[in-house]
Amino acid sequence: MIVETTNYFAREGQAAAVLAQRRKASAIRRELGLEPGRIYVKLEGAGPDIRWECRFPSLEAYEADMAARAQSQAFTAARKDMHTLLERFERHLSVPDELPGDGG
């Protein structure tokens, strides 16, 4: 399994707009037949204002998802609009830590 996490650090006063834009991007994902993922909103502490996470069964599935996003004019426009609202953006890929004998 591959887990993609994107972190959105909003410009001053733009956290609500970032959340709305992330919701729009997730709706576009649904229209494309992609998993919409899950959106998280910062409750307290340091870190991103908004975080999005999506799980993929394999690296190939993740790469196919990235290709579908890149081919979508609507998603490309949503991504461009998002970046006008941000101080910083991060994308991370992770895999679960599976200890020997833990059954995964």
Side-chain angles (χ1 to χ4, degrees):
M1 176 187 350
I2 304 292
V3 180
E4 177 185 3
T5 303
T6 55
N7 295 322
Y8 302 95
F9 297 83
R11 293 184 188 275
E12 184 71 31
Q14 295 297 314
V18 170
L19 176 57
Q21 191 63 21
R22 180 62 254 183
R23 288 175 175 162
K24 179 179 177 179
S26 292
I28 293 168
R29 289 181 58 80
R30 277 189 202 91
E31 292 169 8
L32 295 172
L34 303 174
E35 171 67 36
R38 177 167 262 173
I39 300 168
Y40 298 89
V41 178
K42 179 170 66 175
L43 183 59
E44 65 178 45
D49 298 286
I50 308 297
R51 183 170 57 91
W52 176 81
E53 182 179 287
C54 195
R55 295 169 186 261
F56 304 92
S58 66
L59 185 57
E60 293 79 14
Y62 168 76
E63 290 170 346
D65 188 281
M66 288 292 284
R69 292 181 230 180
Q71 293 171 7
S72 167
Q73 290 180 349
F75 195 87
T76 299
R79 180 181 283 156
K80 183 179 177 183
D81 290 345
M82 175 66 89
H83 283 281
T84 68
L85 304 170
L86 301 176
E87 286 291 328
R88 189 168 103 213
F89 170 82
E90 300 173 344
R91 175 179 289 122
H92 304 280
L93 292 183
S94 306
V95 295
D97 176 29
E98 297 179 13
L99 297 173
D102 76 353

